Amino acid sequence: MRSCEVLIVGGGPAGSSAAWRLKRAGAEVLLLDRERFPRLKLCAGWITPEVVRELEMDLDSYPHRLLTFPRLRVHYGRLSLPVPCVQHSIRRFEFDAWLLERSGVTVEQHNVREILADGDGFIVDGEYRCRYLIGAGGTRCPVYRSLFKEANPRAHELQIVTLEHEIEYAWEDPDCHLWFCDEGLPGYSWYVPKESGWLNVGIGGFAGRIKDAGQDIKTHWAHFAEKLGGGLTRGADYDPTGYSYYLRGRVDVVRRDNAFITGDAAGLASRDLGEGIGPAIRSGLRAAETILTGAPYQLDDVTGMSVSSIARSMLTRAARPFGPYGRTPHGLRHDNQ
Ligand SMILES: Cc1cc2nc3c(=O)[nH]c(=O)nc-3n(C[C@H](O)[C@H](O)[C@H](O)COP(=O)(O)OP(=O)(O)OC[C@H]3O[C@@H](n4cnc5c(N)ncnc54)[C@H](O)[C@@H]3O)c2cc1C
């Protein structure tokens, strides 16, 4: 049986951030993920300046695609509003693999199924023994399922259903667009350009409300694709994939003995925009900090609402109206209006 001090299940932003922090402090860490990285993760790939700061990222030396938006274009019915703020886009395929590699920990491809308590530690699948266990396996995390599900049952009214597609596409509009409640969708749809001709488009809404209204996410997609095809993305061909996750609700128990849950495993994505990368990173860092220092593991101030972080970003943008904020697209300039 393999033994380690800290075992992390899941190598997404939550797991790799915890791994990065622990490894820097000299902890002995093993990370298991059922996928081989780089792996596909359905996500618009929009990240905030807080994420950049917490990860201590140097935007100039980030080796993959990263695009900076000096505003968001927000649409509601016929209303269209530029919101001046600083946000970025990355491709999760690249970003997650980069974060995991940067952490410097040993990573094994292994699909975790069974977790048993063993004294003050745990045994995983009869193959791994650890003192500390971090559940960072996303919505279907086996650590959540085995140790936290009863204490924190998923709130079905907070379940989000999504459809999205990331494609190579020579987009012309470099802004990030968000359409709220389009055609009665209880949620929003997005157009998120990536550096060097990649684009992510998608829709997401409350699963229960869509069902109660007798609607179907696929019908909403058809409407959205038609709208894009008639404007922003003429000629693009979409074949979207679906995924479901949970927004931030009550999370009563985030630690049991030496086991922690983080990120989507704990259901931490922001209530208003479903932003989950930042909360995953922050919770991963907090879990690591608790293991290293014994500080309480608390997630009360992990972003519940994205609007507050956007407001902070608007203030930064107002203080520095002409940038630079990060990377603008090759050959294109934002006009700062
Ligand atoms: C369509 C869509 C768009 C989104 N857009 C954004 C956005 O633009 N910005 C944003 O901030 N958030 C966005 N989110 C939310 C964001 O993607 C998640 O909140 C974030 O990925 C959570 O990170 P995590 O590390 O907790 O989990 P994940 O990124 O899901 O990582 C979990 C890892 O655990 C592994 N794993 C799972 N089960 C096991 C197992 N049994 N054994 C071993 N390994 C396992 C998986 O392979 C995976 O690598 C979006 C979500 C969706 C669905």
Side-chain angles (χ1 to χ4, degrees):
M1 183 148 6
R2 293 273 303 277
S3 287
C4 60
E5 195 179 2
V6 187
L7 186 77
I8 301 176
V9 178
S16 59
S17 304
W20 177 60
R21 178 71 189 91
L22 287 161
K23 176 78 179 178
R24 285 210 300 187
E28 185 205 0
V29 183
L30 175 64
L31 188 147
L32 304 177
D33 199 296
R34 67 180 174 198
E35 307 269 354
R36 183 186 298 278
F37 281 66
R39 56 99 173 88
L40 193 68
K41 167 71 183 97
L42 289 192
C43 180
W46 149 59
I47 60 169
T48 63
E50 273 98 345
V51 163
V52 170
R53 206 164 36 247
E54 291 198 313
L55 292 176
E56 298 172 28
M57 279 175 76
D58 170 12
L59 296 184
D60 291 332
S61 61
Y62 176 66
H64 302 292
R65 292 171 184 82
L66 185 143
L67 191 61
T68 300
F69 308 115
R71 68 183 150 244
L72 297 172
R73 293 260 178 210
V74 174
H75 309 269
Y76 182 79
R78 291 195 181 158
L79 209 71
S80 186
L81 199 70
V83 178
C85 59
V86 182
Q87 306 286 309
H88 314 277
S89 75
I90 44 80
R91 291 195 67 213
R92 288 292 298 270
F93 184 75
E94 300 166 343
F95 182 72
D96 288 19
W98 176 77
L99 280 182
L100 192 54
E101 194 183 343
R102 186 182 75 151
S103 76
V105 302
T106 305
V107 178
E108 281 188 15
Q109 191 177 5
H110 179 94
N111 183 14
V112 172
R113 292 172 304 275
E114 185 191 58
I115 293 156
L116 298 174
D118 172 49
D120 64 350
F122 302 89
I123 291 186
V124 172
D125 290 340
E127 289 181 49
Y128 305 93
R129 175 181 282 129
C130 62
R131 169 127 194 258
Y132 295 100
L133 179 67
I134 297 183
T139 307
R140 290 170 203 48
C141 180
V143 179
Y144 167 78
R145 220 171 39 229
S146 304
L147 303 174
F148 292 93
K149 191 174 170 184
E150 243 169 67
N152 307 323
R154 303 281 192 217
H156 290 297
E157 66 278 13
L158 296 178
Q159 185 179 13
I160 293 296
V161 60
T162 65
L163 274 176
E164 67 121 79
H165 197 186
E166 186 153 299
I167 56 167
E168 236 179 319
Y169 180 76
W171 45 262
E172 289 179 7
D173 188 331
D175 280 341
C176 174
H177 291 258
L178 305 175
W179 293 267
F180 287 88
C181 307
D182 207 17
E183 295 284 312
L185 174 73
Y188 70 97
S189 28
W190 63 84
Y191 160 102
V192 181
K194 313 281 168 108
E195 196 184 31
S196 310
W198 279 80
L199 175 70
N200 188 294
V201 296
I203 62 175
F206 288 98
R209 289 200 224 157
I210 292 173
K211 194 170 165 216
D212 291 349
Q215 299 172 347
D216 182 339
I217 190 82
K218 289 188 179 149
T219 316
H220 280 290
W221 175 272
H223 162 75
F224 180 51
E226 194 183 322
K227 188 218 309 260
L228 289 176
L232 281 171
T233 70
R234 283 176 210 285
D237 215 4
Y238 298 113
D239 181 16
T241 310
Y243 189 81
S244 172
Y245 67 121
Y246 291 83
L247 301 185
R248 177 84 194 243
R250 275 185 62 179
V251 192
D252 292 328
V253 181
V254 289
R255 175 179 186 174
R256 278 189 64 190
D257 302 322
N258 284 339
F260 303 80
I261 39 168
T262 58
D264 275 6
L268 298 182
S270 71
R271 193 72 169 253
D272 48 358
L273 293 183
E275 174 212 342
I277 300 172
I281 288 165
R282 197 161 308 155
S283 57
L285 293 174
R286 293 271 163 84
E289 214 55 54
T290 296
I291 291 170
L292 293 169
T293 66
Y297 180 52
Q298 286 167 346
L299 301 177
D300 301 349
D301 63 336
V302 171
T303 330
M305 301 292 266
S306 296
V307 72
S308 51
S309 116
I310 290 176
R312 276 194 297 280
S313 171
M314 286 172 78
L315 290 175
T316 310
R317 170 82 163 76
R320 240 183 342 135
F322 299 109
Y325 321 102
R327 293 193 207 161
T328 50
H330 297 309
L332 286 167
R333 284 182 61 81
H334 290 294
D335 58 11
N336 276 317
Q337 280 165 20

